[in-house]
Amino acid sequence: MKELEERILKDGFVIGGDILRVDSFINGQIDTGLLRRICAELAKGWGPIDKVLTVETSGIAYALGVAMALGDLPVLFAKKSKSKIVDPSNLYTAEVKSFTRGIVSTIAVDRNYLKKGEKVLIVDDFLAEGNASLGLIHLCEQAGASVQGVAVVIEKSFQGGRAKLESMGYRVVSGANISGFQNGQVLFAD
Amino acid sequence: MKELEERILKDGFVIGGDILRVDSFINGQIDTGLLRRICAELAKGWGPIDKVLTVETSGIAYALGVAMALGDLPVLFAKKSKSKIVDPSNLYTAEVKSFTRGIVSTIAVDRNYLKKGEKVLIVDDFLAEGNASLGLIHLCEQAGASVQGVAVVIEKSFQGGRAKLESMGYRVVSGANISGFQNGQVLFAD
């Protein structure tokens, strides 16, 4: 998506060699108009979808945007920590290693909200190594829900997430596909 | 908002005497159509607004919905934990006690995204004792931004949040105003 690539070049910046910071418009402060246009793109080309699934925190806004673009589908977000108002015996859980934070956390969804046979689209802000998506797929497997694919705002395809997901048979779409960083500059695939 | 009150009576339930669980449609799984209608209501009656501010996690979807209803305004969400990709010297921070979790956490926003003179609308899913809103107001005070008011999906007015905020001069609007719980039943104001 040309608009997103241009915005990344204008307002994103690379730190530490492999982390792209886009929190002025994607995942700290959100440019709501841009979000609408990204989500309209990400929503294209899917068959029937019952539910959009993401993991807190920064994926939530994009999951909602895609769910709206697909006709106001329900959004489910996996949580990273346990609150006292959730019964832990009634959860599907998976372990996820965060690329940017470098820590392993447990993600969980209530078993009542993910059902056998449901067609699920996974949405997130970033796809790097694919760990968050694999965790969400694992939650769906436990429920018997059927993952239709993965839609992300920005992928860093050189970190292997897309290859891993495609080798498992999942369709992957992204708003911008970064093939690498060179001297602090962002390079896009194609 | 009658639709929301009816939905709370139908699908919400009270646990532990003072916690309302609505995660089947508000803040675990989101009913996207309902979110649209709630946010259209919450967006009414404000003067000029520059930015919508919330705190992760469950407020994000509603902040985005209200920002869309107000003409695709930017959304800023305060974060509860520090990621290695954010420079801690460049943050406004405030302490917030969570009503449901019973813990104190530090919330933070990047100083670049909250500016002197900006007209800010605070949006959240719940208003109980008002601690999250007070923390967000404190962030705005540090920036010199001007809080125009607080819009929440569900308030539990008997827990004092509204009274506290109104006594400070802020307009407060909610989708549903709960005046109390009686034998596990939800009572609405009016």
Side-chain angles (χ1 to χ4, degrees), chain A residues 34 77 83 86 121 148:
Chain A
L34 178 64
F77 58 92
S83 157
V86 173
L121 175 61
Q148 303 299 295

Side-chain angles (χ1 to χ4, degrees), chain A residues 1-2 5 155 157 162 174-180 187-190:
Chain A
M1 193 187 168
K2 197 157 184 57
E5 292 183 0
E155 68 169 306
S157 50
R162 172 183 286 267
S174 64
N177 182 344
I178 295 174
S179 58
L187 306 176
F188 294 104
D190 307 323

Side-chain angles (χ1 to χ4, degrees), chain A residues 40-55:
Chain A
E41 278 295 309
L42 296 180
K44 287 179 183 169
W46 302 101
I49 301 285
D50 296 314
K51 188 167 284 184
V52 174
L53 175 66
T54 189
V55 58

